[in-house]
Amino acid sequence: MKRVLLFLFLISCSSVFADDGSRLWLKYDLIKDEVYRKSLVKSYNQIVIQFESDKAKLAAKEIQIAFKGLTGKELQINLASKPELGGFNSIKKGILLTIGTDKSEKESEGFRIQSQKGSSLIIGKSEQGLIYGAFAFIRLIQMQGTLDFTINENPKIQVRMLNHWDNANGTVERGYAGSSIWKWFELPYRIDPRYIDYARANASIGINAASINNVNASSRFLTAEYLEKIKAVADVLRPYGIKVFISVNFRSPRTLGGLETSDPLDPGVRKWWKDKTDEIHQYIPDFGGYLVKANSEGEPGPQDYGRTHADGANMLADAMGDHEGIVIWRAFVYDADPDGDRFREAYDQFKPLDGTFDKKVIVQVKNGPIDFMPREPFHPMFGSFPETPLAMEFQITQEYLGHSTHLNYLAPMFKECLDSDTYAEGKGSTVAKVIDGSVHGYPITVMAGVANTGSDANWTGHPFGQANWYAFGRLAWDHTLSSEKIANEWVKQTLTNDSEASQKIVGLMMNSLPAYINYTYPLGLHHMMGEGHHYGPQPWLEKSGRPDWTSVYYHRAAKDGIGFDRNGGISNSLKLYAPEVIDSWGNPDKMDLNYLFWFHHLSWDYKLSTGKTVWDELMSRYYSGPEEVKEFQKTWDSLKSEIDIETYENVKGRLAIQYKESLWWRDACYLYFKQYSGMPLPNSLKEPERTLQDVIELEQIYHLR
Ligand code: BDP
């Protein structure tokens, strides 16, 4: 109750104070359009819940808070007097929340809304569906569209999950928005109110799972001390339908259990995991399951004992016994052959194991074959694993996408992958249909996003980072939504409801990823970022712990040209795809140039389908990137009167950094590649004022101690 009061107080102040972004897209600020606001006030007097239950009350309360904030009017929450009540017209001037009778398993989180101004019926297909229905209704009110509509929704993916790469000491691996949102040193005694806001925000976009710790996992999370803390978090998230998962360290039986081995076939090890899994369930009865990074980047795993990924995953699945939890086993492995092609290593390790995993196991695959690059072709594992459920792993945090200083709307990147056709079962076997189970009939479906949340007041550092969290959730719920539609929803709820202004912002968002790619990785270049920090450019990086941690390994720039020939030259990784895909990416003259250097090595003067040489095309893209950022700055400046001042200034400052750094990328890549091409800049493009040495030194700053 106290929280609600505080919340209402904040809402009443929000028109006076600048907005720190902490309320995300659940702002519930007073609607400026008086006609619309008044019509809402006139249309609704009450919220009626048909059955008393915790979730129904939660859903009703959220609508009550939203309505009060948006209109100033407090709706009463009433319990229906007649249990048989429920018809569309049975409720006058009210919003009726009820549970449907048709509860097929698959649809159990869905909802229906029938609404006519003055009479709105929200039917959850389950209690949880009611929560999602309530948030969908609020979204529509916030967006100020019509209240006369009927919708019927079911999530397309079962487990819609955030993966937090948060460490026990409060740091976040690849986090750019402050420290961890989980206060491990305070838990379980102090519950940070932000956990509730976190749960609300996630529930509002359909996210129903969270793995709370880094995949480079500490065994600490499996101790009784920490299980109590995790239980406290799980208790806060549960009412909103969010299950907790834990990332585990495969060596835990040794480090924690004092055993001599962590061999998955060792009976003592198996018993240890079984006991541990039972113990976890005593704290968290609805425990979601394990997320495992094994034999990857130095993490322990079954291969340390001569066993396979399937041996390791199946052992954990066995430990799960009759509990409902699942085992999510990551496929981000590339230890096979440092002289080979990293592109194909996960495929090569996992393909022979297809069909050997326990039914509680799902293998989680990053969207692309290398590592969350700004543009990757879809991972060749998608479409090639008919017998093993594959989960999608996207990265919401902008590790390779400008951290939290570059404005980068990622829905188009997620969509590009989801909409790619694998041709696994003929045309139309898109990646989305593989992971939602419709292509191979997977019994478990998962979409995970590496979270970009942190302790910053606005959660994500860059205010537009919120849009990526939002978009991930919406796409995990329904991958058929368009990027524009999602952007429009987010803008209208978060920044402004003015239609002209919101259109401009959506346009800016839709152009942001292409602009970023132009000044960083045009034409399918990849993996040229500064070593370790993964921020600015370092195309000259040629020595590292492994060859495939360098840049030169990927771009292969030399006097004879540029690009990684995966079409038979250096490797034949292109062959991992279906014949139709090989056809479309195999010919540099016909293919989508956005993937060019992923598969081809071409001479600098090779004439492309655009009519330009490789060099001229590359340089015109590098040079257009910063110009596009300049346009973003102008657009943003023109929106000053429409945007909250704190958010406006925040984004303005970040765009200035982005512009400066787009020049850094452009100059670094031009000056570096020029050494090999020996060609001049195309006509109108201006020589940078700095030298290659200058940009090399700029990157070195990031390594100073
Ligand atoms: C890479 C990150 C590293 C992660 C790793 C992973 O640089 O911090 O641990 O992915 O996904 O992108 O396991």
PDB file of all heavy atoms in Angstrom, residues 165 173-174 214-216 293 296-297 330 332 342 366 371-372 393 395 399-400 450 532 534, ligand 1:
ATOM      1  N   TRP A 165      23.866 -11.073 -16.950  1.00  0.00           N
ATOM      2  CA  TRP A 165      25.272 -11.456 -16.803  1.00  0.00           C
ATOM      3  C   TRP A 165      25.824 -10.754 -15.558  1.00  0.00           C
ATOM      4  O   TRP A 165      26.853 -10.086 -15.591  1.00  0.00           O
ATOM      5  CB  TRP A 165      26.060 -11.084 -18.057  1.00  0.00           C
ATOM      6  CG  TRP A 165      25.810 -12.001 -19.234  1.00  0.00           C
ATOM      7  CD1 TRP A 165      25.002 -13.101 -19.288  1.00  0.00           C
ATOM      8  CD2 TRP A 165      26.413 -11.914 -20.533  1.00  0.00           C
ATOM      9  NE1 TRP A 165      25.055 -13.683 -20.531  1.00  0.00           N
ATOM     10  CE2 TRP A 165      25.913 -12.980 -21.315  1.00  0.00           C
ATOM     11  CE3 TRP A 165      27.331 -11.031 -21.115  1.00  0.00           C
ATOM     12  CZ2 TRP A 165      26.302 -13.187 -22.648  1.00  0.00           C
ATOM     13  CZ3 TRP A 165      27.714 -11.235 -22.454  1.00  0.00           C
ATOM     14  CH2 TRP A 165      27.208 -12.308 -23.202  1.00  0.00           C
ATOM     15  N   GLU A 173      28.847  -8.199 -16.245  1.00  0.00           N
ATOM     16  CA  GLU A 173      29.668  -8.442 -17.432  1.00  0.00           C
ATOM     17  C   GLU A 173      28.961  -7.840 -18.642  1.00  0.00           C
ATOM     18  O   GLU A 173      27.793  -8.132 -18.908  1.00  0.00           O
ATOM     19  CB  GLU A 173      29.864  -9.961 -17.615  1.00  0.00           C
ATOM     20  CG  GLU A 173      30.599 -10.292 -18.896  1.00  0.00           C
ATOM     21  CD  GLU A 173      31.575 -11.449 -18.751  1.00  0.00           C
ATOM     22  OE1 GLU A 173      31.738 -11.978 -17.634  1.00  0.00           O
ATOM     23  OE2 GLU A 173      32.194 -11.795 -19.770  1.00  0.00           O
ATOM     24  N   ARG A 174      29.685  -6.991 -19.346  1.00  0.00           N
ATOM     25  CA  ARG A 174      29.150  -6.296 -20.530  1.00  0.00           C
ATOM     26  C   ARG A 174      27.918  -5.449 -20.181  1.00  0.00           C
ATOM     27  O   ARG A 174      27.014  -5.288 -21.009  1.00  0.00           O
ATOM     28  CB  ARG A 174      28.802  -7.276 -21.647  1.00  0.00           C
ATOM     29  CG  ARG A 174      29.901  -8.260 -21.988  1.00  0.00           C
ATOM     30  CD  ARG A 174      31.178  -7.588 -22.379  1.00  0.00           C
ATOM     31  NE  ARG A 174      32.265  -8.536 -22.624  1.00  0.00           N
ATOM     32  CZ  ARG A 174      33.522  -8.175 -22.834  1.00  0.00           C
ATOM     33  NH1 ARG A 174      33.872  -6.898 -22.822  1.00  0.00           N
ATOM     34  NH2 ARG A 174      34.452  -9.068 -23.048  1.00  0.00           N
ATOM     35  N   ASN A 214      25.546 -14.310 -14.022  1.00  0.00           N
ATOM     36  CA  ASN A 214      26.409 -14.422 -15.207  1.00  0.00           C
ATOM     37  C   ASN A 214      26.600 -15.879 -15.647  1.00  0.00           C
ATOM     38  O   ASN A 214      26.772 -16.763 -14.809  1.00  0.00           O
ATOM     39  CB  ASN A 214      27.775 -13.811 -14.834  1.00  0.00           C
ATOM     40  CG  ASN A 214      28.648 -13.570 -16.041  1.00  0.00           C
ATOM     41  OD1 ASN A 214      28.306 -13.943 -17.159  1.00  0.00           O
ATOM     42  ND2 ASN A 214      29.783 -12.927 -15.811  1.00  0.00           N
ATOM     43  N   VAL A 215      26.637 -16.072 -16.950  1.00  0.00           N
ATOM     44  CA  VAL A 215      26.921 -17.418 -17.468  1.00  0.00           C
ATOM     45  C   VAL A 215      28.343 -17.854 -17.145  1.00  0.00           C
ATOM     46  O   VAL A 215      28.639 -19.049 -17.082  1.00  0.00           O
ATOM     47  CB  VAL A 215      26.679 -17.506 -18.997  1.00  0.00           C
ATOM     48  CG1 VAL A 215      25.201 -17.513 -19.308  1.00  0.00           C
ATOM     49  CG2 VAL A 215      27.390 -16.388 -19.747  1.00  0.00           C
ATOM     50  N   ASN A 216      29.238 -16.883 -16.955  1.00  0.00           N
ATOM     51  CA  ASN A 216      30.562 -17.219 -16.410  1.00  0.00           C
ATOM     52  C   ASN A 216      30.322 -17.290 -14.902  1.00  0.00           C
ATOM     53  O   ASN A 216      30.537 -16.344 -14.172  1.00  0.00           O
ATOM     54  CB  ASN A 216      31.586 -16.138 -16.747  1.00  0.00           C
ATOM     55  CG  ASN A 216      31.736 -15.985 -18.254  1.00  0.00           C
ATOM     56  OD1 ASN A 216      31.810 -16.970 -18.982  1.00  0.00           O
ATOM     57  ND2 ASN A 216      31.766 -14.748 -18.733  1.00  0.00           N
ATOM     58  N   LYS A 293      26.970 -22.472 -19.349  1.00  0.00           N
ATOM     59  CA  LYS A 293      28.043 -22.201 -20.312  1.00  0.00           C
ATOM     60  C   LYS A 293      29.154 -23.175 -19.949  1.00  0.00           C
ATOM     61  O   LYS A 293      29.730 -23.076 -18.865  1.00  0.00           O
ATOM     62  CB  LYS A 293      28.520 -20.762 -20.168  1.00  0.00           C
ATOM     63  CG  LYS A 293      29.768 -20.428 -20.990  1.00  0.00           C
ATOM     64  CD  LYS A 293      30.118 -18.944 -20.872  1.00  0.00           C
ATOM     65  CE  LYS A 293      31.375 -18.600 -21.660  1.00  0.00           C
ATOM     66  NZ  LYS A 293      31.673 -17.149 -21.642  1.00  0.00           N
ATOM     67  N   SER A 296      33.634 -23.367 -22.759  1.00  0.00           N
ATOM     68  CA  SER A 296      33.628 -22.192 -23.621  1.00  0.00           C
ATOM     69  C   SER A 296      34.412 -21.107 -22.916  1.00  0.00           C
ATOM     70  O   SER A 296      34.162 -20.854 -21.730  1.00  0.00           O
ATOM     71  CB  SER A 296      32.178 -21.758 -23.845  1.00  0.00           C
ATOM     72  OG  SER A 296      32.105 -20.428 -24.279  1.00  0.00           O
ATOM     73  N   GLU A 297      35.330 -20.521 -23.611  1.00  0.00           N
ATOM     74  CA  GLU A 297      36.125 -19.400 -23.079  1.00  0.00           C
ATOM     75  C   GLU A 297      36.659 -19.704 -21.676  1.00  0.00           C
ATOM     76  O   GLU A 297      36.577 -18.878 -20.774  1.00  0.00           O
ATOM     77  CB  GLU A 297      35.287 -18.116 -23.080  1.00  0.00           C
ATOM     78  CG  GLU A 297      34.829 -17.731 -24.472  1.00  0.00           C
ATOM     79  CD  GLU A 297      34.116 -16.386 -24.558  1.00  0.00           C
ATOM     80  OE1 GLU A 297      33.418 -16.025 -23.610  1.00  0.00           O
ATOM     81  OE2 GLU A 297      34.283 -15.718 -25.598  1.00  0.00           O
ATOM     82  N   ARG A 330      24.229 -23.871 -23.378  1.00  0.00           N
ATOM     83  CA  ARG A 330      24.614 -22.930 -24.436  1.00  0.00           C
ATOM     84  C   ARG A 330      25.524 -23.559 -25.494  1.00  0.00           C
ATOM     85  O   ARG A 330      26.376 -24.392 -25.170  1.00  0.00           O
ATOM     86  CB  ARG A 330      25.315 -21.697 -23.833  1.00  0.00           C
ATOM     87  CG  ARG A 330      24.393 -20.889 -22.962  1.00  0.00           C
ATOM     88  CD  ARG A 330      25.129 -19.735 -22.332  1.00  0.00           C
ATOM     89  NE  ARG A 330      25.226 -18.560 -23.163  1.00  0.00           N
ATOM     90  CZ  ARG A 330      26.338 -17.890 -23.383  1.00  0.00           C
ATOM     91  NH1 ARG A 330      27.498 -18.310 -22.905  1.00  0.00           N
ATOM     92  NH2 ARG A 330      26.329 -16.784 -24.098  1.00  0.00           N
ATOM     93  N   PHE A 332      27.488 -21.667 -27.371  1.00  0.00           N
ATOM     94  CA  PHE A 332      28.539 -20.689 -27.687  1.00  0.00           C
ATOM     95  C   PHE A 332      29.899 -21.306 -27.330  1.00  0.00           C
ATOM     96  O   PHE A 332      30.481 -21.027 -26.306  1.00  0.00           O
ATOM     97  CB  PHE A 332      28.296 -19.394 -26.912  1.00  0.00           C
ATOM     98  CG  PHE A 332      29.337 -18.339 -27.164  1.00  0.00           C
ATOM     99  CD1 PHE A 332      29.510 -17.799 -28.427  1.00  0.00           C
ATOM    100  CD2 PHE A 332      30.146 -17.878 -26.129  1.00  0.00           C
ATOM    101  CE1 PHE A 332      30.476 -16.826 -28.664  1.00  0.00           C
ATOM    102  CE2 PHE A 332      31.114 -16.904 -26.359  1.00  0.00           C
ATOM    103  CZ  PHE A 332      31.283 -16.378 -27.624  1.00  0.00           C
ATOM    104  N   ARG A 342      36.142 -20.281 -36.900  1.00  0.00           N
ATOM    105  CA  ARG A 342      35.287 -20.229 -35.704  1.00  0.00           C
ATOM    106  C   ARG A 342      33.799 -20.275 -36.060  1.00  0.00           C
ATOM    107  O   ARG A 342      32.984 -20.756 -35.286  1.00  0.00           O
ATOM    108  CB  ARG A 342      35.623 -18.949 -34.923  1.00  0.00           C
ATOM    109  CG  ARG A 342      34.741 -18.715 -33.735  1.00  0.00           C
ATOM    110  CD  ARG A 342      35.308 -17.618 -32.877  1.00  0.00           C
ATOM    111  NE  ARG A 342      34.257 -17.017 -32.065  1.00  0.00           N
ATOM    112  CZ  ARG A 342      34.436 -15.969 -31.273  1.00  0.00           C
ATOM    113  NH1 ARG A 342      35.635 -15.408 -31.189  1.00  0.00           N
ATOM    114  NH2 ARG A 342      33.456 -15.478 -30.561  1.00  0.00           N
ATOM    115  N   LYS A 366      23.407 -18.505 -30.086  1.00  0.00           N
ATOM    116  CA  LYS A 366      23.393 -17.063 -30.378  1.00  0.00           C
ATOM    117  C   LYS A 366      22.849 -16.838 -31.781  1.00  0.00           C
ATOM    118  O   LYS A 366      22.976 -17.708 -32.646  1.00  0.00           O
ATOM    119  CB  LYS A 366      24.810 -16.490 -30.266  1.00  0.00           C
ATOM    120  CG  LYS A 366      25.302 -16.405 -28.826  1.00  0.00           C
ATOM    121  CD  LYS A 366      26.628 -15.657 -28.705  1.00  0.00           C
ATOM    122  CE  LYS A 366      27.060 -15.615 -27.237  1.00  0.00           C
ATOM    123  NZ  LYS A 366      28.324 -14.885 -27.017  1.00  0.00           N
ATOM    124  N   ASP A 371      29.622 -13.903 -32.753  1.00  0.00           N
ATOM    125  CA  ASP A 371      29.386 -13.430 -31.392  1.00  0.00           C
ATOM    126  C   ASP A 371      28.674 -12.081 -31.380  1.00  0.00           C
ATOM    127  O   ASP A 371      29.319 -11.059 -31.131  1.00  0.00           O
ATOM    128  CB  ASP A 371      30.724 -13.317 -30.648  1.00  0.00           C
ATOM    129  CG  ASP A 371      30.538 -12.988 -29.183  1.00  0.00           C
ATOM    130  OD1 ASP A 371      29.382 -12.942 -28.733  1.00  0.00           O
ATOM    131  OD2 ASP A 371      31.551 -12.778 -28.493  1.00  0.00           O
ATOM    132  N   PHE A 372      27.389 -12.053 -31.584  1.00  0.00           N
ATOM    133  CA  PHE A 372      26.612 -10.822 -31.400  1.00  0.00           C
ATOM    134  C   PHE A 372      27.159  -9.625 -32.174  1.00  0.00           C
ATOM    135  O   PHE A 372      27.079  -8.478 -31.718  1.00  0.00           O
ATOM    136  CB  PHE A 372      26.543 -10.434 -29.919  1.00  0.00           C
ATOM    137  CG  PHE A 372      25.857 -11.420 -29.026  1.00  0.00           C
ATOM    138  CD1 PHE A 372      26.364 -11.712 -27.764  1.00  0.00           C
ATOM    139  CD2 PHE A 372      24.679 -12.030 -29.424  1.00  0.00           C
ATOM    140  CE1 PHE A 372      25.721 -12.593 -26.907  1.00  0.00           C
ATOM    141  CE2 PHE A 372      24.021 -12.919 -28.568  1.00  0.00           C
ATOM    142  CZ  PHE A 372      24.546 -13.199 -27.306  1.00  0.00           C
ATOM    143  N   GLU A 393      19.364 -16.964 -28.581  1.00  0.00           N
ATOM    144  CA  GLU A 393      19.974 -16.032 -27.632  1.00  0.00           C
ATOM    145  C   GLU A 393      20.329 -14.747 -28.368  1.00  0.00           C
ATOM    146  O   GLU A 393      21.187 -14.727 -29.241  1.00  0.00           O
ATOM    147  CB  GLU A 393      21.236 -16.639 -26.998  1.00  0.00           C
ATOM    148  CG  GLU A 393      21.918 -15.698 -26.014  1.00  0.00           C
ATOM    149  CD  GLU A 393      23.105 -16.336 -25.267  1.00  0.00           C
ATOM    150  OE1 GLU A 393      23.014 -17.522 -24.887  1.00  0.00           O
ATOM    151  OE2 GLU A 393      24.122 -15.645 -25.082  1.00  0.00           O
ATOM    152  N   GLN A 395      21.448 -10.564 -27.861  1.00  0.00           N
ATOM    153  CA  GLN A 395      22.102  -9.722 -26.862  1.00  0.00           C
ATOM    154  C   GLN A 395      21.427  -8.353 -26.882  1.00  0.00           C
ATOM    155  O   GLN A 395      21.466  -7.649 -27.880  1.00  0.00           O
ATOM    156  CB  GLN A 395      23.596  -9.588 -27.157  1.00  0.00           C
ATOM    157  CG  GLN A 395      24.366  -9.023 -25.964  1.00  0.00           C
ATOM    158  CD  GLN A 395      25.865  -8.899 -26.219  1.00  0.00           C
ATOM    159  OE1 GLN A 395      26.281  -8.503 -27.303  1.00  0.00           O
ATOM    160  NE2 GLN A 395      26.676  -9.227 -25.231  1.00  0.00           N
ATOM    161  N   GLU A 399      27.057  -4.729 -26.337  1.00  0.00           N
ATOM    162  CA  GLU A 399      28.490  -5.010 -26.227  1.00  0.00           C
ATOM    163  C   GLU A 399      29.273  -4.555 -27.460  1.00  0.00           C
ATOM    164  O   GLU A 399      30.336  -3.960 -27.338  1.00  0.00           O
ATOM    165  CB  GLU A 399      28.695  -6.515 -25.999  1.00  0.00           C
ATOM    166  CG  GLU A 399      30.162  -6.903 -25.959  1.00  0.00           C
ATOM    167  CD  GLU A 399      30.383  -8.384 -25.684  1.00  0.00           C
ATOM    168  OE1 GLU A 399      29.399  -9.124 -25.483  1.00  0.00           O
ATOM    169  OE2 GLU A 399      31.557  -8.795 -25.648  1.00  0.00           O
ATOM    170  N   TYR A 400      28.758  -4.867 -28.614  1.00  0.00           N
ATOM    171  CA  TYR A 400      29.448  -4.516 -29.866  1.00  0.00           C
ATOM    172  C   TYR A 400      28.693  -3.412 -30.615  1.00  0.00           C
ATOM    173  O   TYR A 400      28.925  -3.189 -31.800  1.00  0.00           O
ATOM    174  CB  TYR A 400      29.569  -5.748 -30.764  1.00  0.00           C
ATOM    175  CG  TYR A 400      30.276  -6.918 -30.100  1.00  0.00           C
ATOM    176  CD1 TYR A 400      29.563  -7.991 -29.573  1.00  0.00           C
ATOM    177  CD2 TYR A 400      31.660  -6.934 -29.980  1.00  0.00           C
ATOM    178  CE1 TYR A 400      30.207  -9.055 -28.962  1.00  0.00           C
ATOM    179  CE2 TYR A 400      32.317  -7.995 -29.372  1.00  0.00           C
ATOM    180  CZ  TYR A 400      31.585  -9.051 -28.864  1.00  0.00           C
ATOM    181  OH  TYR A 400      32.237 -10.099 -28.253  1.00  0.00           O
ATOM    182  N   VAL A 450      20.218 -11.210 -23.570  1.00  0.00           N
ATOM    183  CA  VAL A 450      21.167 -10.811 -22.530  1.00  0.00           C
ATOM    184  C   VAL A 450      20.803  -9.383 -22.110  1.00  0.00           C
ATOM    185  O   VAL A 450      20.839  -8.460 -22.923  1.00  0.00           O
ATOM    186  CB  VAL A 450      22.616 -10.886 -23.040  1.00  0.00           C
ATOM    187  CG1 VAL A 450      23.571 -10.459 -21.936  1.00  0.00           C
ATOM    188  CG2 VAL A 450      22.935 -12.287 -23.532  1.00  0.00           C
ATOM    189  N   GLY A 532      39.148  -6.581 -25.752  1.00  0.00           N
ATOM    190  CA  GLY A 532      38.719  -6.593 -24.347  1.00  0.00           C
ATOM    191  C   GLY A 532      37.554  -5.668 -24.075  1.00  0.00           C
ATOM    192  O   GLY A 532      36.482  -6.110 -23.690  1.00  0.00           O
ATOM    193  N   HIS A 534      35.884  -3.868 -26.269  1.00  0.00           N
ATOM    194  CA  HIS A 534      34.884  -4.020 -27.336  1.00  0.00           C
ATOM    195  C   HIS A 534      34.155  -2.723 -27.678  1.00  0.00           C
ATOM    196  O   HIS A 534      32.977  -2.730 -27.979  1.00  0.00           O
ATOM    197  CB  HIS A 534      33.858  -5.116 -26.959  1.00  0.00           C
ATOM    198  CG  HIS A 534      34.477  -6.466 -26.859  1.00  0.00           C
ATOM    199  ND1 HIS A 534      33.770  -7.593 -26.524  1.00  0.00           N
ATOM    200  CD2 HIS A 534      35.761  -6.874 -27.050  1.00  0.00           C
ATOM    201  CE1 HIS A 534      34.584  -8.640 -26.510  1.00  0.00           C
ATOM    202  NE2 HIS A 534      35.795  -8.219 -26.826  1.00  0.00           N
TER     203      HIS A 534
HETATM  204  C1  BDP B   1      31.075 -12.623 -25.394  1.00  0.00           C
HETATM  205  C2  BDP B   1      31.392 -11.698 -24.278  1.00  0.00           C
HETATM  206  C3  BDP B   1      31.752 -12.412 -23.005  1.00  0.00           C
HETATM  207  C4  BDP B   1      30.695 -13.470 -22.702  1.00  0.00           C
HETATM  208  C5  BDP B   1      30.569 -14.397 -23.871  1.00  0.00           C
HETATM  209  C6  BDP B   1      29.448 -15.413 -23.720  1.00  0.00           C
HETATM  210  O1  BDP B   1      32.461 -10.861 -24.656  1.00  0.00           O
HETATM  211  O2  BDP B   1      31.845 -11.453 -21.995  1.00  0.00           O
HETATM  212  O3  BDP B   1      31.029 -14.173 -21.558  1.00  0.00           O
HETATM  213  O4  BDP B   1      30.243 -13.670 -25.022  1.00  0.00           O
HETATM  214  O5  BDP B   1      28.420 -15.223 -24.335  1.00  0.00           O
HETATM  215  O6  BDP B   1      30.349 -11.877 -26.320  1.00  0.00           O
HETATM  216  O7  BDP B   1      29.607 -16.394 -23.004  1.00  0.00           O
END
